[in-house]
Amino acid sequence: SIDRSFSPQGVSAAWLIDGTGGGVQQDVLLRFRDGRLISAAPASGEVRPEDGILDGRDCTVLPGLVDAHVHLSMSGTVGVEARLRQLELGWEEAEAVIERHLRDHLSRGVVAVRDGGDRAGHALRFREERLQASGIPLLVRVSGPAWHAPDRYGRLIGRSPGDGRTLAEAVDRSDPRADHVKIVHSGLNSLLRFGKTTPPQFTRKDLAEAVLAAKARGLTVMVHANGGVPVRDAVNAGCDSIEHGFFMGPENLRRMARRGTAWVPTACTMSAYARTLPPGSREALGAARNLEHQIGQLREAVRAGVRVVLGTDAGSPGVHHGQAVSEEIRLLMEAGMTAVQAVRTASWEGAALMGLEDRLGRLIPGMPATFLVVRGGPDRLPDSLASPLS
């Protein structure tokens, strides 16, 4: 677990990954004042604990991590009955579940999460009524229930506009406490029919008007979209991020690179299916094939300069809060990212997407001193994230 009993005046690091995407720095002394980093300079001399310096020899220091796609009221359980039951949780049960999941994130070095919706709005209520009292030092950004089209996928995390309202009207009247808007614009991926996609849930006009309505309220928009047409519509509508983006194709990747649209690929969802479904089953093999295709899209995204942001979809089957971040980083590195690039994706990029760029994500002078110390060098990532030292 993370030790918060010691508030150092500095930390010596054998290796520093500062979150900016720059190279790994070696033998660095970071000094803090009033909770902020004031300098990061080459270390000189012996570190003395009595000077308030945390000894990070043989360790890597990196920024606190950000998971930009979670569902706090759901767990990674794979049992059908348990998954159905958690969708019907009352507030008292949900409160305990959400608190546990936040602590799971914290134990793996995650310091901020972006929730993608739950049907009852429990995550939003927890953030408003319970987070401060819980003492959990995480920053939580929440959409409240997501929006989906009538009779289409999305009921487990949200609701449809209803009552003859347009999507834009529904967005305009949604909970004022929300930090962002979540729109579901496609269905799920098939584990049996490789590459199968579903039609868009909303017309291009409705989606574009909804994004404008959200922007008028100062809210960002995250869009669940898989397949070429749903992703194209969401990017052209001006959404801030594409969630999942399976089978969206190279044209959409280039479009996202041009527009600066963030992509939250949640590749570990398919890794989890492949790992937890019966070995050798058509579904497990289908999940593995979907994962392979998503890794290929990630390789192309890196080459195209797409802004990739780490998100795990924690709460999906087999995707556990906190620990899934390491798995997603591993998949990003499998797709060709260096450890430095993957850390930026899991820190600075997520913080910026959530509007927290002045509070998290980079270890540079002037920024708050929110950092992790993990054993070993960058070559030990992401495995070393399983047990941060501080």
Side-chain angles (χ1 to χ4, degrees), residues 22-324:
V24 178
Q25 301 175 54
Q26 292 185 264
D27 299 321
V28 178
L29 177 62
L30 293 85
R31 289 192 177 277
F32 315 127
R33 181 183 300 136
D34 299 326
R36 290 187 176 271
L37 178 63
I38 59 171
S39 66
S44 60
E46 184 177 348
V47 172
R48 299 188 306 173
E50 59 266 30
D51 293 334
I53 304 299
L54 183 65
D55 187 352
R57 74 183 73 181
D58 300 323
C59 294
T60 300
V61 173
L62 60 155
L65 303 176
V66 177
D67 190 335
H69 191 130
V70 306
H71 296 279
L72 289 170
S73 69
M74 294 187 283
S75 71
T77 182
V78 296
V80 175
E81 289 186 7
R83 293 204 64 80
L84 290 174
R85 182 176 175 276
Q86 69 184 1
L87 297 178
E88 304 297 337
L89 289 180
W91 165 243
E92 290 186 359
E93 288 180 290
E95 180 183 7
V97 166
I98 292 169
E99 180 167 340
R100 182 174 72 247
H101 290 159
L102 289 173
R103 294 192 186 282
D104 289 341
H105 281 287
L106 193 61
S107 72
R108 296 302 184 103
V110 176
V111 296
V113 295
R114 185 177 66 147
D115 188 89
D118 66 277
R119 188 163 64 200
H122 290 318
L124 183 56
R125 182 175 176 182
F126 185 95
R127 199 279 306 278
E128 293 297 302
E129 299 180 9
R130 290 291 305 141
L131 181 60
Q132 185 174 358
S134 73
I136 301 173
L138 258 74
L139 292 170
V140 180
R141 296 292 181 261
V142 192
S143 67
W147 295 107
H148 66 88
D151 303 317
R152 290 291 304 274
Y153 167 76
R155 183 173 177 270
L156 76 164
I157 56 171
R159 71 294 203 212
S160 61
D163 299 326
R165 287 186 295 177
T166 67
L167 179 61
E169 290 170 339
V171 166
D172 190 53
R173 300 176 189 176
S174 56
D175 197 316
R177 301 173 299 173
D179 300 295
H180 52 267
V181 172
K182 170 72 175 291
I183 297 173
V184 182
H185 192 47
S186 75
L188 292 172
N189 295 295
S190 174
L191 300 181
L192 297 176
R193 294 178 57 188
F194 178 73
K196 177 188 176 184
T197 58
T198 59
Q201 292 206 16
F202 299 98
T203 68
R204 284 177 287 182
K205 180 175 181 290
D206 282 343
L207 189 61
E209 290 177 349
V211 171
L212 286 174
K215 302 290 186 183
R217 295 181 55 191
L219 302 176
T220 56
V221 180
M222 59 190 297
V223 180
H224 166 118
N226 298 303
V229 176
V231 171
R232 182 197 66 197
D233 289 352
V235 174
N236 286 342
C239 74
D240 295 276
S241 65
I242 295 294
E243 312 297 312
H244 317 304
F246 287 86
F247 303 107
M248 63 177 162
E251 183 180 339
N252 275 318
L253 289 170
R254 291 190 291 271
R255 181 177 287 113
M256 291 166 70
R258 288 194 303 269
R259 298 186 65 120
T261 309
W263 180 28
V264 185
T266 65
C268 64
T269 56
M270 289 299 152
S271 177
Y273 276 126
R275 182 180 65 251
T276 59
L277 289 168
S281 66
R282 288 182 62 200
E283 292 85 353
L285 294 173
R289 195 175 178 192
N290 288 350
L291 174 61
E292 182 180 8
H293 188 273
Q294 191 75 328
I295 294 295
Q297 289 199 137
L298 271 165
R299 289 194 184 101
E300 190 159 352
V302 172
R303 289 193 294 268
V306 176
R307 181 185 170 198
V308 179
V309 179
L310 183 140
T312 64
D313 207 8
S316 293
V319 184
H320 300 286
H321 290 271
Q323 71 182 62

Side-chain angles (χ1 to χ4, degrees), residues 300-364:
E300 190 159 352
V302 172
R303 289 193 294 268
V306 176
R307 181 185 170 198
V308 179
V309 179
L310 183 140
T312 64
D313 207 8
S316 293
V319 184
H320 300 286
H321 290 271
Q323 71 182 62
V325 171
S326 298
E327 170 68 1
E328 190 72 8
I329 289 176
R330 183 184 70 78
L331 294 171
L332 294 174
M333 294 175 68
E334 185 178 323
M337 286 191 184
T338 64
V340 166
Q341 290 173 314
V343 168
R344 176 185 168 107
T345 297
S347 56
W348 162 244
E349 294 290 1
L353 181 60
M354 295 165 62
L356 299 171
E357 59 266 46
D358 61 339
R359 302 175 68 179
L360 296 173
R362 295 174 297 172
L363 287 174
I364 59 176

